[in-house]
Amino acid sequence: MTSSPTPADATDLLRQLDEDRSRLAGLTATPWWAPALLGLVVGLWVASPAVGDRTTNYLFALAAAVVVVHLVRVRTGIRLRGAGARQLVLGVLWLLVTLLLYSAALGLVSLDREVWTVLPAAVAGVVTYALAVVSDRWARESLRM
């Protein structure tokens, strides 16, 4: 016959579960290189109007982003899941900023100022890196809750 757990046993078990959740969140952290690679890919895509065929550059950027996400999944063993509302808003914000910067690069190319596409490309890379880090932090925080 089993006895019911005491309040102290239940408290200890809950503490252990909380520690396991925190440890799991730490193990699932995105590698440092993933946001950097995503920033580089986005930056190169934003600069791409200065160097030729836009369709090929778009497909390259898309394929490179898929490879980075796949490498993160292999490294952490974690699949991307549905994002929460905060991360969805962050993603929409990123998309708007990136498209605005790409449009600026297109405008610079149309004005024969290809060299200046480096500026919106650098901003796009930094924004992508920063938002990827924030999104990762939010995802790990949600694991701890």
Side-chain angles (χ1 to χ4, degrees), residues 46-52 54 101-117 120:
V46 168
S48 70
V51 292
R54 290 182 189 106
L101 292 166
Y102 184 76
S103 296
L106 286 170
L108 289 166
V109 168
S110 74
L111 296 171
D112 292 326
R113 303 286 190 250
E114 289 86 1
V115 169
W116 290 100
T117 59

Side-chain angles (χ1 to χ4, degrees), residues 79-93 131 134-143 145:
R79 283 181 185 246
L80 293 176
R81 61 180 175 84
R86 290 192 309 180
Q87 288 174 301
L88 184 60
V89 169
L90 198 64
V92 169
L93 177 65
L131 294 184
V134 168
S135 179
D136 179 58
R137 185 177 315 126
W138 286 351
R140 284 187 287 122
E141 284 173 5
S142 71
L143 281 176
M145 294 180 179

Side-chain angles (χ1 to χ4, degrees), residues 45-124:
W45 177 70
V46 168
S48 70
V51 292
D53 181 26
R54 290 182 189 106
T55 302
T56 301
N57 294 332
Y58 172 75
L59 293 175
F60 167 75
L62 186 61
V66 167
V67 167
V68 171
V69 169
H70 176 72
L71 289 173
V72 169
R73 183 174 153 209
V74 167
R75 163 82 165 56
T76 63
I78 301 295
R79 283 181 185 246
L80 293 176
R81 61 180 175 84
R86 290 192 309 180
Q87 288 174 301
L88 184 60
V89 169
L90 198 64
V92 169
L93 177 65
W94 169 81
L95 182 62
L96 291 174
V97 168
T98 302
L99 291 175
L100 180 67
L101 292 166
Y102 184 76
S103 296
L106 286 170
L108 289 166
V109 168
S110 74
L111 296 171
D112 292 326
R113 303 286 190 250
E114 289 86 1
V115 169
W116 290 100
T117 59
V118 140
L119 294 176
V123 172

